[in-house]
Amino acid sequence: MRIIQKYGGSSVATIDLIRGVAKRAITAKNEGHEVVVVLSAMKGETDRLLKLAHSVTPDPSPRELDNILATGEQVSIGLFALACQEFGEKVKSFLGFQAGIKTDDQHGRARVTDLDPARIRTELAKGRIVAVAGFQGVNRHGDLTTLGRGGSDTTAVALSIGLKAELCEIYTDVDGIYTTDPNICDKARKMDRISYEEMMELASLGAKVMEIRSVELAMNYGVKIHVRHAHSQAVGTLICQEDSDMEKTPVRGVTLSVNEARVTLLQVPDQPGVAASILNVVAKAGIVVDMIIQNRSHNPEPAVEKMTDFSFTVPLPDYAKTMELMEAVSHEIGAKSVVGEQNIAKVSLVGVGMRNHAGVAALMFQALAKENINLSMISTSEIKISCVIDKKYGELAVRALHDAFELERPGDKVI
Ligand code: ASP
Ligand code: MG
């Protein structure tokens, strides 16, 4: 079998851990498999390199920054290869460009456009383990690019596709994907399987185990991913196509995000084009809006009759900038004022089974009401329901929902 094994930064944080990872790859090879290992930079290294670059200039040019950031993974694969050799194993390490990973020109968040893994195939045929630097590729000009934070996952999935690997293993410092963050809820349960779509929602809502683009790529090509602990033999979580078992459970996971803030324009004239002019300004600044709520006042008072309040959420780091922009916009469009709120949390339920279940929202709101938690915004999609609440109730809400949907036990909660 051809196996891709990806090890994250925490799994290669020290020389001892790198030796352990080398042993694991060698064991797989001795079991008769062809093994390609994708490595991240040692824990904290990418952050250290970023800081170093920012100590020279607050706004480093993306091309040069990529040359700096790509070194983290280069060190990891070299050390891994040496560790393998110390164990008497045949191995060769490759940087992204040597492994034939071609990308577009977007430094810092490049997309893989093509793969030519000829050299990897040659080395595998010679009976070698191949180590590939994650997170990097080369563009059409021959310049190094990086794939965005967490991008080694994408390297692993791309290689799985290009090399037609039977198995893509993502080794990390947790033993799989949990129903919620075990640090918040001690009843959190590791799931045996989860669908690509659910994993993408969970990743976009703040579950940090997998990088979202890698899951999307895996979904598009049907690559099965096994997420598991780097230093344990336990079976982890399989990310795969939705199947009939999964559909029985309306909710698979609960997430909490405290990384957003809300901005509200009060008493906006209720006219066509107003929402567009507000959000255009935000979009032009490159700020991504998540939830949006507009509610027309039904107060018959003439002064507010044709007015509406307009609220939306933005990532917390973009809050100050958004408030500044909205002050100007509110002036232009004749809104009364702008108010902001940073102490919010977004709690979400995710599950493909929601498609076929009525009543998920009702049970969610009931569970939150029981804890006296007020909802200030609600949004739903086919497989997700999110509520914005007061930040101080975030963790309580997660536990209440985990209990209400009985996520601690596998199987099908009927509602
Ligand atoms: N080293 C990169 C990062 O820290 C890529 C990765 O770990 O996947 O984001
Ligand atoms: Mg990672």
Side-chain angles (χ1 to χ4, degrees), residues 60 123 209 212 232 236 292:
E123 296 305 327
V209 185
I212 187 163
S232 135
I292 303 168

Side-chain angles (χ1 to χ4, degrees), residues 144-275:
L144 281 186
T145 53
T146 64
L147 310 182
R149 296 308 302 267
S152 300
D153 291 344
T154 297
T155 306
V157 173
L159 287 176
S160 301
I161 298 164
L163 290 164
K164 299 192 170 62
E166 275 92 351
L167 189 58
C168 177
E169 296 181 312
I170 302 285
Y171 285 97
T172 177
D173 55 357
V174 292
D175 51 9
I177 310 297
Y178 276 73
T179 48
T180 194
D181 183 346
N183 296 314
I184 295 178
C185 175
D186 55 15
K187 292 184 195 160
R189 176 177 55 83
K190 190 198 81 189
M191 291 178 271
D192 292 338
R193 278 176 312 167
I194 187 166
S195 71
Y196 296 117
E197 282 170 290
E198 288 166 327
M199 191 64 235
M200 278 165 62
E201 284 287 3
L202 293 177
S204 78
L205 291 166
K208 290 175 210 79
V209 185
M210 285 290 300
E211 183 230 8
I212 187 163
R213 271 159 68 171
S214 67
V215 184
E216 189 183 2
L217 191 61
M219 179 168 82
N220 291 341
Y221 287 87
V223 176
K224 284 188 186 145
I225 298 175
H226 185 183
V227 179
R228 56 193 306 195
H229 201 294
H231 305 288
S232 135
Q233 296 300 322
V235 173
T237 302
L238 193 68
I239 308 174
C240 55
Q241 214 69 259
E242 175 184 343
D243 64 29
S244 52
D245 273 3
M246 293 176 182
E247 282 165 32
K248 287 187 206 148
T249 327
V251 173
R252 305 270 298 161
V254 186
T255 62
L256 176 67
S257 149
V258 288
N259 231 333
E260 284 173 58
R262 179 176 59 230
V263 175
T264 304
L265 286 91
L266 292 170
Q267 296 189 22
V268 178
D270 192 11
Q271 289 160 5
V274 166

Side-chain angles (χ1 to χ4, degrees), residues 289-320:
V289 168
D290 179 25
M291 285 174 156
I292 303 168
I293 281 192
Q294 179 186 340
N295 214 340
R296 179 154 182 202
S297 168
H298 283 275
N299 190 331
E301 186 78 21
V304 286
E305 192 206 342
K306 292 214 163 54
M307 298 290 179
T308 174
D309 290 345
F310 191 93
S311 297
F312 56 94
T313 60
V314 293
L316 207 45
D318 297 325
Y319 172 71

Side-chain angles (χ1 to χ4, degrees), residues 266-285:
L266 292 170
Q267 296 189 22
V268 178
D270 192 11
Q271 289 160 5
V274 166
S277 47
I278 296 171
L279 294 180
N280 265 340
V281 173
V282 185
K284 274 214 188 99

Side-chain angles (χ1 to χ4, degrees), residues 62-63 66 70 95-116 132-148 151-152 154-155 158-159 213 217:
R63 181 187 181 279
D66 273 355
L95 294 171
F97 80 90
Q98 295 169 313
I101 299 169
K102 316 259 169 72
T103 74
D104 62 18
D105 296 339
Q106 297 184 69
H107 286 285
R109 55 193 165 102
R111 278 187 179 268
V112 178
T113 50
D114 196 14
L115 203 73
D116 176 14
V132 178
F135 177 57
Q136 55 173 266
V138 60
N139 68 15
R140 66 204 153 102
H141 310 296
D143 289 335
L144 281 186
T145 53
T146 64
L147 310 182
S152 300
T154 297
T155 306
L159 287 176
R213 271 159 68 171
L217 191 61

Side-chain angles (χ1 to χ4, degrees), residues 6 8-9 39-42 46-47 69 73 134-135 148-153:
K6 179 256 168 179
L39 297 176
S40 286
M42 295 168 84
T46 309
D47 288 336
L69 295 186
E73 274 68 13
F135 177 57
R149 296 308 302 267
S152 300
D153 291 344

